[in-house]
Amino acid sequence: MTEKRVTFASKIGIVAAAAGSAVGLGNIWRFPSQTADSGGALFILVYIGCILFFGIPLMMSEFIIGRGSRANSAGAFHKLAPGTQWKWVGRLGVLTGFVIMGFYMVVCGWTLDYVLQALTGGLHNITDFSANFNNLRSNPLRQTGWMILFTLMTAFFILSGVKKGIEQSSKIMMPILFLLLIILALRSVLLDGSSAGLAFLFRPDPTHLKPTLFLDAMGQAFFSLSIGMGCMITYGSYFNNTNFTQTAVQVSFLDTLVAILSGIIIFPSAFALTSNPDTITEELVAGGPGLLFITLPELFNQMPLSAIWGSLFFCLLALAALTSSISLMEVVTLYIHEEYQFTRKRSTLLVATGVILLGIGSSFSSDLFNLMDLVSAKVMLPLGGFFISLFVGWYLDQKMVAAQITNEGTIRLGIGFLKAYIFLLRYIAPLAILAVFIYGLVG
Ligand code: PFF
């Protein structure tokens, strides 16, 4: 590669880009439906445990691999472990990115459909929100059209380059999204009858304990933080002198906050607005992937100027989805660009075409959609995370790891911190991932 590799311009830009990748449909669409499925508060507790024990350390590990190699996610393993089989971990990540995009872009397409419905006022006049969502889900051509449009939008940003495309859009969009989520959360908890929803969200009910709960929470944590597939390796390769520990903590904190805020928006309003309080939990589960698209428009209709809130929310949701889809596409594109020496343009077009083909498959078949969601979050990402923790914990030279985390000794961290970090990566994270995985599959 003769061209000089770009880096993100500022510390804020780095956090905004990484948080832009992490915060997306995973938090606002997937987290509530997974929480509903797993019975609420207990899921959230386990989820937070996963963020602390795997999420933050693994995100730091990906940053180390990324900045330590300044290469794409597969090239990074080539460079740091030449002549070994570790490159397969990077390749698995590229494949995972592809599989995630295969269904993620379809949901991104739904957000565009809802932007249009909200802007034209249609959403405001609907009474049966479930039927409205099912109309979209049962119309593969409509979904395909939106999915293609979204994929092309993502490709456009990838082509306009890392700095302009990724960093700037994240920096502007994230704070606005945050503010809107806070307003919506307040509106939701102020509805009459919302307290049952808050209890569902925050009071653990041990009867909901089931073996798959841990695997579901772990998969969601990986998915939401964009770890386990080399996305943070790719972004880390664009980092300059930033503090990895601080960045990983900040990004994970923001990401978790957005997920919990989304829960506070969805559940209290679902409990407050239902006409059958006795069956609300079953209703939530039945909402499945449509939960957000069914419950939220109902909340907007309870607010003055509902068309404006609806339009604003779905536009921001589409933008949050865009900064995540950009990061997904960047992983695969950079891999093809650097490993096969294709131009950036050709690599992007190739990836976009593949994604559109997969997206057509999952627009036409909800089985394929669900399969790709399940396999990527609950098998591929944890597997990637497992190997990444082994790689940094066991394979990489600890001096190099220490130099990366302390920026060549310029950041003071206690010696105990580094030891604890390596211990976590060597033993705790891989063993826990393995245990959760096996328990979730056979339990
Ligand atoms: N973290 C994104 C979200 O929560 O929507 C999805 C995602 C992006 C997953 C990038 C994985 C990834 F590499």
Side-chain angles (χ1 to χ4, degrees), residues 100-398:
I100 293 181
M101 279 190 280
F103 73 91
Y104 199 83
M105 292 301 190
V106 176
V107 186
C108 293
W110 300 348
T111 67
L112 291 185
D113 189 291
Y114 271 67
V115 166
L116 187 72
Q117 289 191 45
L119 284 177
T120 54
L123 203 55
H124 181 51
N125 298 321
I126 284 165
T127 45
D128 187 344
F129 292 97
S130 243
N132 181 52
F133 178 71
N134 289 334
N135 274 345
L136 171 63
R137 271 309 262 152
S138 53
N139 188 339
L141 283 181
R142 186 166 141 201
Q143 294 180 79
T144 300
W146 289 119
M147 178 274 299
I148 293 179
L149 181 63
F150 204 96
T151 307
L152 294 180
M153 278 161 56
T154 308
F156 170 80
F157 274 92
I158 294 285
L159 283 176
S160 55
V162 173
K163 227 176 189 155
K164 232 172 48 213
I166 302 173
E167 192 175 350
Q168 288 301 86
S169 50
S170 304
K171 239 160 70 176
I172 300 168
M173 185 278 310
M174 294 288 297
I176 312 180
L177 175 71
F178 214 63
L179 197 69
L180 186 72
L181 289 176
I182 291 177
I183 296 175
L184 291 176
L186 282 175
R187 182 64 197 112
S188 172
V189 295
L190 290 176
L191 288 170
D192 267 350
S194 64
S195 53
L198 282 174
F200 177 80
L201 202 54
F202 294 120
R203 198 175 304 144
D205 176 355
T207 57
H208 286 137
L209 193 63
K210 52 177 184 178
T212 48
L213 180 120
F214 294 91
L215 184 55
D216 291 346
M218 185 169 78
Q220 175 60 23
F222 278 95
F223 188 89
S224 189
L225 289 181
S226 309
I227 53 174
M229 52 156 277
C231 180
M232 293 298 172
I233 296 180
T234 307
Y235 272 21
S237 79
Y238 300 130
F239 285 5
N240 43 30
N241 237 358
T242 199
N243 181 333
F244 285 171
T245 317
Q246 217 175 44
T247 307
V249 170
Q250 284 165 345
V251 171
S252 306
F253 177 76
L254 280 176
D255 190 72
T256 310
L257 205 59
V258 171
I260 306 248
L261 270 177
S262 307
I264 300 181
I265 295 171
I266 299 278
F267 294 105
S269 52
F271 276 76
L273 301 175
T274 181
S275 42
N276 327 310
D278 296 338
T279 55
I280 175 69
T281 358
E282 290 91 64
E283 247 179 70
L284 288 174
V285 174
L291 190 58
L292 172 79
F293 296 89
I294 297 168
T295 306
L296 257 198
E298 213 167 340
L299 173 66
F300 297 137
N301 273 3
Q302 300 295 312
M303 300 168 69
L305 307 173
S306 67
I308 295 187
W309 291 112
S311 313
L312 196 61
F313 175 80
F314 284 111
C315 281
L316 286 170
L317 183 65
L319 277 175
L322 185 65
T323 51
S324 300
S325 67
I326 290 173
S327 72
L328 279 162
M329 198 181 270
E330 178 68 13
V331 171
V332 187
T333 307
L334 190 69
Y335 167 73
I336 294 180
H337 172 55
E338 289 188 347
E339 296 300 299
Y340 296 96
Q341 313 286 312
F342 282 16
T343 62
R344 220 178 139 81
K345 194 163 169 190
R346 261 186 86 190
S347 318
T348 312
L349 290 179
L350 204 69
V351 177
T353 310
V355 169
I356 286 174
L357 290 177
L358 265 187
I360 291 176
S362 54
S363 298
F364 276 82
S365 153
S366 53
D367 286 341
L368 181 65
F369 177 101
N370 291 335
L371 183 74
M372 292 203 284
D373 176 320
L374 187 133
V375 171
S376 59
K378 290 177 202 165
V379 181
M380 298 172 96
L381 291 178
L383 209 61
F386 174 80
F387 286 116
I388 287 169
S389 73
L390 290 184
F391 183 71
V392 176
W394 292 99
Y395 184 87
L396 281 187
D397 179 10
Q398 287 195 25

